[in-house]
Amino acid sequence: MPNTRYAELGAFLRSRRERVRPGEVGIAPGPRRRVPGLRRDEVAVLAGASVEYYTELERGAGSQPSGQMLAALARALRLGRDERDHLYRLANRPVPPRGGTASHVHPVMLDLLHRIDGTAAMVSDDLHTVLVQNPLAVALLGDLSAHRGRAASFIHRWFTDPAARLIYPPEDHAPQSHSFVADLRAAIGRRGPDDPEAVELVDELLGRSREFEALWTARDVGVRRDERKRIAHPTVGMLDLDCLSLFSEDGRQRLLWFTPRAGTGTGEKLALLTVVGTQAMRPSAGPSAGPSPRAAPAPPGGRPRGDPRP
């Protein structure tokens, strides 16, 4: 990448950083703040990068950033779709296809995510790939944004990886499976039957899961808008929740948030979970049943998908 392109990339990052106000990303401004926008170290934390690496990018002296890093920077800096695409072109990286697993999180959804205080929330695409979670959602469900490839879709993991179901009571598995498949049919109806990402997902699931094959053949359709979820959390016990969704205009992204059901004691358990912080999502089935422990909570505003750390 030519030096002039490095310089323009750095200048563009700097201009976008100066535009974002701390409150927009969940950072308290503080009385001694000298700049109206974000500081370099704050952008680095939000994007999951080192301060040194991000500083070099702004100076035009860094290495070519990866696609994952660009996606994280776009979310941290609240870039619109056109700005996000411009960032990729400046870095000489291919612009991600619309609706792919590197989906651009709509800035309005990110803003809403950060404004939902004390509530577990996350943004996913219509194939149930989690794009970003707030810290309480990570504490509740584990880091669902850390998966790669086809396994990035929770529907894929639900039907191919038994560990994906371990925090849900066995009696809830069948209705959850039906709901996932009906929602997937609705998503493909919006995307069109020739959408490559959706077609590849369905083809693989048909070849690996008889349960999925039976449900898919039934051709039931239903968008997941609000559902009851019970989660057996390894630290605070059973949680009885309502899961609600807010959709983007094209239906390809949804903001999900989880509220306690009245009279179940879940509200108190969620309050305890905010104090306990992010824990290893490791059900009692044994040490290999769940994802690895996390030593620290997510950065302000949640960890972006991929958490790239150069």
Side-chain angles (χ1 to χ4, degrees):
M1 190 163 58
N3 290 336
T4 54
R5 188 182 290 271
Y6 274 112
E8 181 57 32
L9 174 65
F12 183 67
L13 288 172
R14 184 167 55 254
S15 70
R16 301 304 89 181
R17 171 173 62 83
E18 294 171 349
R19 184 190 59 176
V20 181
R21 297 298 180 263
E24 296 175 357
V25 294
I27 298 175
R32 299 181 180 178
R33 195 172 194 89
R34 298 181 180 179
V35 295
L38 297 179
R39 299 192 298 262
R40 287 174 173 170
D41 63 307
E42 291 167 339
V43 175
V45 170
L46 291 169
S50 68
V51 178
E52 295 78 10
Y53 178 80
Y54 179 74
T55 299
E56 289 299 299
L57 285 180
E58 274 205 9
R59 290 176 177 171
S63 60
Q64 184 186 27
S66 67
Q68 288 181 339
M69 174 55 69
L70 293 171
L73 289 171
R75 293 165 192 158
L77 296 171
R78 297 299 187 273
L79 302 189
R81 187 175 298 277
D82 293 338
E83 292 174 315
R84 189 282 306 263
D85 292 353
H86 183 62
L87 179 66
Y88 273 78
R89 294 185 181 106
L90 288 177
N92 200 30
R93 294 288 187 186
V95 176
R98 188 173 182 178
T101 54
S103 294
H104 173 60
V105 183
H106 195 289
V108 173
M109 286 203 166
L110 271 177
D111 183 60
L112 287 172
L113 180 72
H114 298 315
R115 292 177 185 274
I116 299 177
D117 187 29
T119 300
M122 61 189 188
V123 178
S124 71
D125 69 11
D126 56 348
L127 300 184
H128 294 268
T129 296
V130 173
L131 305 174
V132 63
Q133 297 169 271
N134 68 9
L136 186 53
V138 175
L140 177 66
L141 299 167
D143 187 357
L144 301 179
S145 66
H147 300 274
R148 297 289 178 272
R150 195 79 66 226
S153 166
F154 189 70
I155 291 181
H156 182 280
R157 300 199 304 278
W158 181 263
F159 288 102
T160 62
D161 181 4
R165 304 189 181 197
L166 288 174
I167 64 170
Y168 300 94
E171 58 269 27
D172 293 353
H173 291 182
Q176 287 280 6
S177 295
H178 179 272
S179 178
F180 273 131
V181 177
D183 187 83
L184 180 59
R185 270 219 177 265
I188 291 179
R190 290 188 301 268
R191 286 178 174 234
D194 298 325
D195 181 86
E197 187 180 17
V199 168
E200 290 173 8
L201 175 62
V202 171
D203 285 348
E204 182 168 341
L205 289 175
L206 287 172
R208 295 185 60 178
S209 170
R210 291 185 177 180
E211 180 190 17
F212 178 85
E213 182 182 14
L215 290 168
W216 188 253
T217 303
R219 288 182 165 78
D220 290 339
V221 180
V223 177
R224 292 164 63 103
R225 293 185 174 90
D226 56 87
E227 290 185 322
R228 178 183 181 181
K229 281 189 179 292
R230 295 190 299 160
I231 296 173
H233 193 276
T235 302
V236 299
M238 186 66 71
L239 298 162
D240 201 340
L241 303 156
D242 286 315
C243 178
L244 307 171
S245 298
L246 176 67
F247 295 86
S248 61
E249 290 184 8
D250 61 4
R252 289 194 174 224
Q253 291 185 11
R254 68 184 79 192
L255 172 67
L256 302 98
W257 68 99
F258 302 85
T259 60
R261 291 178 67 89
T264 64
T266 297
E268 292 79 3
K269 293 179 181 178
L270 282 177
L272 175 61
L273 194 56
T274 62
V275 176
V276 172
T278 303
Q279 300 292 321
M281 293 301 296
R282 186 172 292 174
S284 57
S288 62
S292 300
R294 287 166 50 83
R303 169 180 280 189
R305 198 174 169 272
D307 188 32
R309 299 180 187 275

